[in-house]
Amino acid sequence: MNEKIVILDFGSQYTQLIARRVRELNIFCEIQPYNKPINFEENVKAVILSGSPFSVKEKKALKIDLKEFVGKVPVLGVCYGAQYVADYYGGKVMRSEKREYGKANLTKIHKKDPFLKGIKKGSQVWMSHGDTIFEIPKGFELLAGTEHVDVAAYRSNGQFEKPLYCIQFHPEVTHSLDGLQLLKNFLVDIAKCKQNWTPAAFVDSTVEELKRKVGDDKVLLGLSGGVDSSVAAMLLHRAIGKNLVCFFIDNGLLRKDEFEEVLDSYKGLGLNVVGVDSKNDFYKALERAGRDPEKKRKAIGKTFIKVFQAEANKLKGIKWLGQGTIYPDVIESVSVHGPSVTIKSHHNVGGLPKRMKLKIVEPLRMLFKDEVRKVGKEVGLPDFIVGRHPFPGPGLAIRILGKITPEKVALLQEADAIFINNLKKFDLYDKVWQAGAILTPVQSVGVMGDERTYENVVALRCVNSVDGMTAEWSRLPHDFLATVSSEIINNVKGINRVVYDISTKPPATIEWE
């Protein structure tokens, strides 16, 4: 059984980031709500307590019985976790007069400890807390402090069979310059983790697990052309071969020539793929939906279910539905206060499991997006799929503001293709997170030759991000933008003006609808 680290989530915005850093060390970890009991039979090597927006002094503070796991395995308390440990064992924790937020330095390192190996005096760390530990509990010892915070790091002093470490800063953020080293010290040197959780190891163990789970049953999977569903398909294909049946549905809202290109690449990989041209079904549904963004989304979802159901009914013996669900989807479906009422479902197949009475198989449910890409390379997916930018489930429908028509889709496909192709030509595509063109409902006056025009305005959107939760607009070179603008206006009849969106997320979203 693989080794595992359990991260108990107390609601911090940084909890996912802790998990990502642990995974960077090739160590498997899982996030679970703070109040879910830990199953130590699953080879748990250590426990990490996350930060929290709460104060340990509030009535609504999230509380657990530390005796359930302290002493069984090494434990690391981060920020709220450190404050909760101090308060739990009789230390002194008080609300700060002002919130301590930002960069600090470990100006005081009180003793040598394997936890601080390679951490030099003055190392920069990131503070973000409203409580402060003024006194550590009896029986604990101080390890480090900053200029303004006496207790930046402390540990148990032999009273537990396994050590308990606590830090009042965030090692998971990049502003803590030695944060990854600190986590490595805790997980490798103290918890004795082997660092053997690699893409190759994941592929081998997942394929074996899928063979045991699915057996000789048939699996149906809806491909979107994106990296998640493609990697899920390749893993299932390795496990069950021709017993995997994939649908790739053309909803008329894909990028230019994407249906044919992606379908060819899938077949070249040996996948059993059925291409379904359903453009007209989606266009009719969108015509009835009108201009309202939510109605458009629902129309696309319902039509997808209808088409998928009709195609699935042609098949016999299907017992499983494969999905490309990834770990952020799983985490977002669970609140730190317990399971969420509504579980987040994949945009393409919401509603299908109940209707079709199929069991669900999700090979990627424990992976982050960057890990999915690494696994994609491991299983031999072509670079243009592995490195493909995220693309919204409703496709170009939410990049066309207002009513959807085939003519508008064709117009946007041309402008979008020019933008994306130039990003690749200028070696910029792999340097940004996501890019696309938006067809606005605005028309403006222009001049072409000796004639005045009154045509559409297209906006270009390009952002940099890690996980899509926040995003910064990409600083694309002016010469590049000038080239794209000129090429679109000169080659796409119906567009006479191009603008560039310089909004961050938040407050704006990446997509316009």
Side-chain angles (χ1 to χ4, degrees), residues 31 56 58 119 136 171 184 207 214 227 272 295 318 327 339 411-412 419 455 483 491:
I31 296 170
V56 297
E58 293 177 14
I119 312 297
I136 61 174
K184 183 180 179 183
V207 168
V214 177
V227 65
N272 182 15
K295 287 182 179 177
I318 301 291
Y327 200 36
L411 197 69
L412 183 58
F419 185 27
E455 294 180 332
T483 298
N491 290 281

Side-chain angles (χ1 to χ4, degrees), residues 405-425:
T405 65
E407 293 74 24
K408 286 182 181 179
V409 172
L411 197 69
L412 183 58
Q413 283 176 331
E414 294 297 330
D416 179 78
I418 290 170
F419 185 27
I420 298 300
N421 289 339
N422 272 291
L423 281 170
K424 293 175 180 176
K425 181 179 174 182

Side-chain angles (χ1 to χ4, degrees), residues 15-28:
T15 302
Q16 280 199 40
L17 199 49
I18 298 175
R20 292 173 70 88
R21 293 288 176 261
V22 173
R23 301 273 185 97
E24 281 178 32
L25 295 167
N26 294 331
I27 297 168
F28 180 65

